[in-house]
């Protein structure tokens, strides 16, 4: 990851671009650009050897005009206050573009989870849940998984919250395992929306997805599911990377076999279906029809953007392009499906999980996937309509125009208190 852009400044410039199309008042735009509150806390946790360690943790509640704050919690050594603020803001505009009744929030702990045992991670997670308890709740703020967190962590947070509150409230958190109140289809949802959005973009651009070549940067939950599903749609996945490096086969490879190899060995490199090893940058600049960045922020900066050869980019990661890279790619006519739409499947199925939790009535995977499909297609259509009616070149700006208008309407129609 390059650190060429501060993600919070990237978010603010994306909001400015859309606000100028809408001609919004400056004081409203200022509100849309800043979080309502940020919790910063130091968790003191006992390690297995009896020593104590402190972990810095954040939860940013960016905007609640459209509903409870909603967004994941990530565990990563590079988590920072500005990153969490940015990610929480992106959640506001993500929930708005898919029109689900949530605001935006995000949390993170500064930790390298690979360096700790399961019981240490459980204590860290439960310590954070204790800190979060007064701020979260199914009508207040609903955390979820993000980078390096998953069902296990969500189950621990739910259990801590319910134990302390002497209640059962599974809707306090989403992304739980199915036997702890999670939803069918939630794990696959981010990768699924990434490829549904890509399919819609190909159709809009009158390009054929059948036989299209695809490169995927990042082979975690979002990246590898996107690779698997796009392969099932008839495209050819030719390259992928993880932190160990990239793999390449011009004739394509089986994304599931690549994932099995990664599960067995801990890394993609040396996968037998690969013809050639590539660097992460070579994967990002490969001559393919579709590029799916599925790792961290700022993967593509201005310098790399000039070398990108893909025609379409579907952003499975949050914030993978710096604003400068985004401008360069728009000028070069690369169609970028913005993160707030492409990866919105995760939070959309989180919404379905929350609805199921509140109704105590659970859906089939087929129903989850059908409802997700409808929401992503509708959001893509609203983006295209705005692109055309406002004569906007950058699809990201069009997405923000749709979503900012929804947030601004919710704020203005409720009035402010006091
Ligand atoms: N962390 C995911 C995202 O960035 C999912 C958030 C959620 O499900 O609330 O969209």
């Amino acid at each position: 990851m390059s650190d060429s852009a501060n993600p919070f400044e990237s978010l603010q410039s994306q909001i400015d671009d859309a606000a100028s199309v809408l001609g919004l008042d400056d004081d409203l735009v200022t509100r849309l650009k800043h979080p309502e509150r940020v919790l910063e806390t130091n968790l003191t946790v006992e390690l297995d050897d009896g020593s104590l360690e402190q972990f810095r943790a954040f939860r940013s509640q960016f905007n609640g005009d459209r509903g409870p704050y909603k967004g994941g919690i990530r565990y990563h050594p590079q988590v920072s206050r500005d990153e969490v603020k940015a990610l929480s803001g992106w959640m506001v505009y993500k929930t708005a573009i898919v029109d689900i009744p949530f605001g935006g929030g995000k949390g993170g702990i500064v930790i390298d989870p690979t360096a700790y045992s399961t019981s240490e991670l459980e204590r860290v997670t439960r310590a954070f849940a204790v800190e979060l308890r007064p701020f979260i709740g199914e009508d207040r703020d609903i955390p979820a998984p993000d980078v390096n967190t998953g069902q296990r962590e969500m189950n621990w947070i739910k259990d801590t919250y319910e134990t302390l509150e002497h209640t059962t409230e599974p809707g306090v958190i989403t992304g739980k395992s199915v036997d702890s109140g999670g939803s069918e289809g939630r794990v696959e949802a981010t990768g699924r929306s990434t490829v549904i959005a890509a399919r819609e973009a190909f159709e809009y651009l009158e390009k054929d997805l059948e036989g299209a070549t695809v490169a995927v940067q990042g082979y975690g939950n979002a990246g590898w599911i996107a690779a698997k599903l796009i392969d099932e749609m008839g495209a050819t996945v030719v390259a992928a990377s993880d932190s160990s490096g990239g793999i390449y086969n011009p004739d394509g490879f089986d994304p599931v076999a690549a994932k099995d190899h990664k599960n067995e060995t801990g890394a993609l490199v040396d996968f037998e279906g690969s013809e050639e090893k590539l660097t992460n940058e070579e994967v990002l600049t490969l001559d393919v029809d579709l590029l799916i960045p599925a790792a961290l922020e700022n993967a593509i900066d201005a310098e790399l953007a000039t070398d990108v050869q893909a025609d379409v980019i579907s952003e499975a990661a949050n914030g993978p392009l710096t604003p400068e890279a985004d401008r360069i790619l728009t000028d070069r006519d690369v169609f970028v499906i913005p993160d707030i739409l492409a990866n919105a499947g995760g939070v959309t199925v989180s919404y379905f999980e929350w609805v199921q939790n509140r109704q105590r009535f659970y859906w089939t995977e087929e129903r989850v996937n059908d409802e997700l499909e409808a929401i992503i297609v509708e959001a893509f259509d609203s983006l295209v309509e705005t692109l055309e009616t406002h004569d906007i070149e950058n699809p990201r700006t069009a997405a923000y125009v749709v979503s900012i208008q929804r947030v601004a309407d919710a704020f203005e129609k409720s009035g402010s208190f006091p």
Side-chain angles (χ1 to χ4, degrees), residues 255-366:
V256 181
K259 174 65 177 171
D260 289 345
H261 174 85
K262 183 172 162 67
N263 284 350
E264 276 157 31
T265 65
L268 272 179
V269 288
D270 301 328
F271 167 55
E272 61 278 8
S274 171
E275 295 268 296
E276 206 182 308
K277 284 185 190 170
L278 297 182
T279 64
N280 185 51
E281 285 172 8
E282 284 167 338
V283 170
L284 290 166
T285 54
L286 209 59
D287 187 6
V288 286
D289 299 305
L290 172 66
L291 173 64
I292 300 179
L296 292 173
E297 299 94 81
N298 297 341
I300 304 179
D301 60 13
E303 207 183 313
L304 213 59
T306 55
D307 295 333
V308 166
Q309 297 185 70
D311 300 323
V312 178
I313 297 180
S314 192
E315 295 184 333
N318 289 311
L321 311 187
T322 66
E324 194 49 33
D326 199 22
R327 271 186 278 278
I328 291 167
L329 291 164
T330 304
D331 289 347
R332 295 187 50 224
D333 280 335
V334 178
F335 192 93
V336 180
I337 309 160
D339 46 6
I340 58 168
L341 196 164
N343 72 34
V347 74
T348 302
V349 177
S350 276
Y351 166 53
F352 300 158
E353 181 174 333
W354 179 81
V355 167
Q356 293 170 74
N357 288 156
R358 305 199 72 161
Q359 297 189 336
R360 304 295 207 259
F361 178 78
Y362 288 86
W363 304 358
T364 61
E365 187 173 355
E366 192 184 358

Side-chain angles (χ1 to χ4, degrees), residues 70-73 91 94 106 142-147 174 186 190 318 343-344 346-348 350:
K70 184 82 192 82
I73 293 175
M91 288 308 302
K94 191 182 300 189
K106 197 76 152 206
I142 306 141
D146 198 80
V147 173
T174 60
R186 175 62 185 84
T190 308
N318 289 311
N343 72 34
V347 74
T348 302
S350 276

Side-chain angles (χ1 to χ4, degrees), residues 66 90-103 340 347 379 382 399-400 402-408:
R66 297 184 62 261
W90 284 325
M91 288 308 302
V92 176
Y93 301 104
K94 191 182 300 189
T95 54
I97 182 83
V98 288
D99 210 5
I100 57 176
F102 288 136
I340 58 168
V347 74
S382 66
Y400 274 86
V402 176
S403 55
I404 283 177
Q405 187 68 64
R406 286 179 181 155
V407 179

Side-chain angles (χ1 to χ4, degrees), residues 8 65 109 124-125 269 280 289 346 353 362 386:
F8 186 54
D65 292 335
I109 304 182
V124 170
T125 304
V269 288
N280 185 51
D289 299 305
E353 181 174 333
Y362 288 86
T386 306

